[in-house]
Amino acid sequence: MSSTGRGQRLGGKDDFFVTPSWAVRRLLEDWKPPGGFWLEPGAGNGAIIKAVNEVRSDVSWLAAEIREEERPALEALTPLVSIGDFLTGPDFQPEALEKVTVVIANPAFVIAQEVIDRSRQLCPRAELMFLLRLNYVGSEDRAEFMRRFPPDIRTLPNRPSFVPSAKLGTLGKTDSIEYCWMGWLPGQRERGTFRVLASTSKEQRRADATWGA
């Protein structure tokens, strides 16, 4: 997801934004979900999967991605890869989806709610965690969902960059808005929680900004 220049479909040609690993590390310092099978519904080149694997050794992956060209990178990370539109798929076996304990993704903004709804449908017993703009909560279209299912919000105090830096050792252009991880536990609750995650130094963010250089 990016707040500028985004396309229309999850993982489509004009909507391929790599999640910086520091943003995943900050999340996992605060969030302690169960291990087991995790689903990434817009896996891209596996950035989130690799970032989680650096911290957790108890996770096996189901990776769904719309871009066929990402298949080799994803199959190097997990044998369970589905190429196609997550909103109408994926082609995982039902028994595999039933084992999913966590769904985590950085979805395209224009279909984020559809991805959330599809994830809840496919994996009703899983914890959900999505990287979203902080102002995602401020929409009349999503107001009723937010009232019924208030998320846990973990704000990133540093704006992420979703584009590679043109020069090694420099930060790519950061996004134009604040981001957070929004999470939903299985079932319905009266209220969610809000917290601010740890800051990430410019040096750490710079190290993550050269993935396309």
Side-chain angles (χ1 to χ4, degrees):
M1 175 191 292
S2 172
S3 68
T4 55
R6 60 188 184 275
Q8 295 300 308
R9 301 300 293 169
L10 180 67
K13 179 180 178 182
D14 297 322
D15 195 22
F16 180 57
F17 298 102
V18 175
T19 305
S21 60
W22 67 262
V24 180
R25 291 195 297 271
R26 295 294 85 79
L27 169 68
L28 294 177
E29 289 167 356
D30 186 77
W31 178 53
K32 307 299 181 184
F37 284 93
W38 291 19
L39 167 65
E40 222 285 38
N45 63 3
I48 288 179
I49 294 174
K50 287 182 281 189
V52 172
N53 287 348
E54 291 176 358
V55 179
R56 301 278 300 251
S57 60
D58 59 344
V59 176
S60 299
W61 288 94
L62 286 69
E65 168 57 35
I66 202 168
R67 293 156 46 100
E68 173 65 36
E69 57 264 41
E70 303 299 344
R71 183 188 294 274
L74 294 175
E75 289 183 343
L77 297 170
T78 175
L80 299 177
V81 176
S82 173
I83 301 297
D85 193 333
F86 178 74
L87 300 181
T88 56
D91 58 359
F92 297 120
Q93 294 297 320
E95 53 267 27
L97 292 170
E98 289 174 2
K99 295 178 181 178
V100 170
T101 58
V102 170
V103 180
I104 183 170
N106 173 10
F109 186 86
V110 292
I111 58 166
Q113 190 60 47
E114 295 173 83
V115 175
I116 293 168
D117 292 341
R118 183 63 171 157
S119 298
R120 294 178 66 242
Q121 176 188 20
L122 292 174
C123 307
R125 291 188 290 274
E127 292 191 35
L128 310 183
M129 188 62 67
F130 295 92
L131 184 61
L132 298 164
R133 302 182 204 170
L134 188 56
N135 67 356
Y136 188 78
V137 297
S139 166
E140 183 64 31
D141 291 340
R142 294 183 290 274
E144 182 56 30
F145 174 82
M146 290 293 175
R147 292 187 189 106
R148 292 183 60 200
F149 306 103
D152 292 328
I153 296 176
R154 293 172 169 87
T155 302
L156 292 167
N158 307 104
R159 288 183 179 179
S161 173
F162 296 104
V163 296
S165 63
K167 182 179 179 182
L168 286 172
T170 63
L171 281 171
K173 184 179 180 181
T174 58
D175 211 78
S176 61
I177 199 167
E178 276 66 40
Y179 278 76
C180 66
W181 290 96
M182 290 191 190
W184 287 267
L185 294 170
Q188 185 172 338
R189 296 177 300 163
E190 293 183 358
R191 60 176 61 87
T193 62
F194 177 86
R195 56 176 61 98
V196 179
L197 297 176
S199 297
T200 304
S201 70
K202 186 173 291 186
E203 289 72 24
Q204 287 180 301
R205 287 181 282 134
R206 183 181 293 121
D208 282 352
T210 56
W211 57 265

